Amino acid sequence: MRRQELFIRTILVVGVVYATWKTAGWYWSDGEEIPRSVVSSQWPSVVPKPLNPEPNKPHAQQALNSFPTSLKLATPTARTTPTTQSTRTTTRAAVAPTKKAAPAFNSSARIPRILHQAFASEMVYENYLPYINSCMALNPDWTYYLWRDSDAEALISSAYPEFLAKYKKYSDVLERADSIRYIVLHHFGGIYLDMDVQCVRPFFPALENFNSFLDQERIEQTNIFWGWPFSVMNSAMGSAPGHPFFREVINEMLHKSQIGNAFATTGPAILTQVYKQYTAVKPAVPVTLLEPNVMSPLMDGNKNWRSMCGSLAAAKSKPDSRRSWKERGCIMLESKNWRYDDSDNSTICVHRFLHLGYGFAAGARKKPFNVTARFWPRVRTFK
């Protein structure tokens, strides 16, 4: 009798444990309990159609099972905690990074809700905290990917192996930071922002119907400082996955023999060059160049623009066709009463030009903080 009672009690205990597991849905991971709803919420849906109901499984488990095996195995890492999170399915959800080749471009695709930023590690200068926080707060339903140097190399090695040797040769740290932004936009889509870019409005709906966009520097600044008619900025860009423009940028970097000068090899100079080449042939898949006031309404506050312009009397006496680009920019800036901020109701982001990546700004760097810990559990990394 005692053996029978013990057997019956064991069956009852196992049944209660099983029922509890089915109801609460807990997984074990590295010695830490993680609810199944949290695990599945790390896998934003890539299936736009509704899930088939399975009455014996929670909806979160149905979502998890609906993903291709390749996506499950290639999950970005993120710290998780037992908490209630939505597992809502959307057609513009962030796609989990995969180690396969980038998808072919879909002409009906639009920018997914992924915010990318890049830094050498998760320890980021505290100067950037208010700007990162502004973008996270204004876009709460966006997935945030931090691309550390180790993540960048892992992605390139697995999905863009032809670029790996060039990436490793870059001697300017900014070259690596520049190059990975084009690659992640081509591979995953989303919006890339430098860490000194402040968000003042949500990305959507203003950018919702674009399949790609590029930022543009203030015309006056480009005219005066570079002597160019315009300059494409890589501090803020967006794309649907597989956009051919960003493939062209990657190809141009790959075949450029020069290294060691980020501005020319991976930065605004090469980006502007590719933009001019790409748009000259009227491509079937266009790329949109935003007006400066949308994402770069400020002049660089580290420069004395009035002093750089000097007296404009001689320049004003010339017909416009005979003025240099610098003279045109100075006259334009003077006509605005030397207004260095062109923000208006169309402004979504403001590039603050902190220049902390350059040696001359080392003294302005504040102590680093751990961006992964600060914005946990929203931060994703590739490895």
Side-chain angles (χ1 to χ4, degrees):
M1 289 296 293
R2 290 182 178 178
R3 288 184 179 181
Q4 290 179 345
E5 290 177 3
L6 180 61
F7 177 76
I8 292 172
R9 288 177 182 178
T10 302
I11 293 298
L12 290 174
V13 169
V14 170
V16 170
V17 170
Y18 177 76
T20 303
W21 179 84
K22 292 289 287 183
T23 303
W26 293 88
Y27 281 152
W28 285 91
S29 176
D30 296 328
E32 180 181 7
E33 285 184 322
I34 303 175
R36 209 178 309 175
S37 61
V38 173
V39 174
S40 60
S41 71
Q42 293 179 33
W43 293 97
S45 176
V46 293
V47 184
K49 60 184 179 182
L51 299 169
N52 292 325
E54 296 181 63
N56 295 327
K57 293 183 180 181
H59 291 297
Q61 183 65 22
Q62 296 179 40
L64 183 62
N65 289 342
S66 71
F67 290 106
T69 302
S70 61
L71 289 186
K72 292 181 187 177
L73 296 177
T75 176
T77 60
R79 294 181 60 191
T80 56
T81 187
T83 183
T84 302
Q85 295 187 18
S86 171
T87 55
R88 178 184 47 164
T89 299
T90 66
T91 57
R92 196 185 285 260
V95 178
T98 73
K99 295 186 178 182
K100 295 182 178 180
F105 179 72
N106 181 343
S107 59
S108 64
R110 294 295 179 264
I111 297 169
R113 297 175 188 265
I114 310 173
L115 173 59
H116 300 278
Q117 293 195 306
F119 205 71
S121 74
E122 63 274 12
M123 300 306 295
V124 172
Y125 304 131
E126 197 173 351
N127 312 63
Y128 296 136
L129 178 57
Y131 308 133
I132 300 172
N133 191 59
S134 68
C135 297
M136 298 284 264
L138 286 168
N139 302 281
D141 57 342
W142 284 57
T143 304
Y144 179 91
Y145 289 130
L146 175 67
W147 292 95
R148 304 165 299 182
D149 285 354
S150 58
D151 303 318
E153 187 166 327
L155 171 61
I156 293 168
S157 178
S158 61
Y160 297 79
E162 74 282 3
F163 194 77
L164 184 59
K166 172 58 70 72
Y167 182 79
K168 288 184 174 181
K169 284 182 181 178
Y170 284 142
S171 56
D172 185 338
V173 294
L174 294 178
E175 289 177 305
R176 296 191 175 196
D178 281 344
S179 60
I180 190 59
R181 64 192 68 182
Y182 309 125
I183 289 172
V184 299
L185 288 178
H186 181 256
H187 199 76
F188 308 124
I191 288 178
Y192 169 84
L193 294 181
D194 276 354
M195 288 188 171
D196 62 350
V197 174
Q198 177 185 6
C199 294
V200 295
R201 287 184 177 83
F203 299 134
F204 290 168
L207 301 171
E208 193 163 13
N209 293 321
F210 288 92
N211 62 28
S212 65
F213 70 83
L214 300 170
D215 187 21
Q216 181 180 180
E217 188 176 49
R218 279 274 295 264
I219 298 294
E220 307 96 302
Q221 180 162 310
T222 302
N223 291 169
I224 297 168
F225 196 73
W226 304 113
W228 298 349
F230 73 97
S231 176
V232 183
M233 296 283 281
N234 66 357
S235 53
M237 303 176 290
S239 180
H243 197 289
F245 173 80
F246 289 98
R247 179 72 253 187
E248 289 296 316
V249 178
I250 296 167
N251 291 343
E252 190 67 28
M253 293 189 299
L254 181 61
H255 296 106
K256 198 170 187 66
S257 58
Q258 180 187 4
I259 61 172
N261 178 356
F263 181 80
T265 59
T266 58
I270 195 171
L271 187 61
T272 303
Q273 173 192 337
V274 175
Y275 174 80
K276 290 163 65 177
Q277 294 169 350
Y278 186 83
T279 55
V281 297
K282 296 183 179 180
V285 183
V287 60
T288 300
L289 183 63
L290 300 178
E291 291 297 319
N293 54 330
V294 178
M295 290 196 163
S296 287
L298 295 187
M299 301 284 284
D300 187 342
N302 297 280
K303 297 175 175 59
N304 188 330
W305 298 102
R306 286 202 192 204
S307 177
M308 292 174 68
C309 287
S311 175
L312 297 177
K316 288 179 179 179
S317 67
K318 301 178 185 177
D320 187 66
S321 60
R322 295 187 58 190
R323 292 171 183 156
S324 67
W325 286 114
K326 179 178 179 179
E327 290 171 334
R328 296 181 193 188
C330 287
I331 291 173
M332 186 188 309
L333 189 57
E334 185 194 48
S335 71
K336 295 181 177 181
N337 196 28
W338 305 97
R339 186 178 70 245
Y340 297 149
D341 186 351
D342 269 353
S343 299
D344 57 23
N345 290 335
S346 68
T347 302
I348 299 172
C349 299
V350 179
H351 185 200
R352 294 291 179 180
F353 291 103
L354 297 191
H355 298 306
L356 297 182
Y358 295 92
F360 68 80
R365 298 170 186 165
K366 296 182 180 179
K367 64 180 181 180
F369 73 99
N370 189 318
V371 70
T372 303
R374 175 63 177 81
F375 293 103
W376 160 68
R378 288 184 63 184
V379 177
R380 305 287 190 269
T381 53
F382 183 69
K383 294 169 61 179

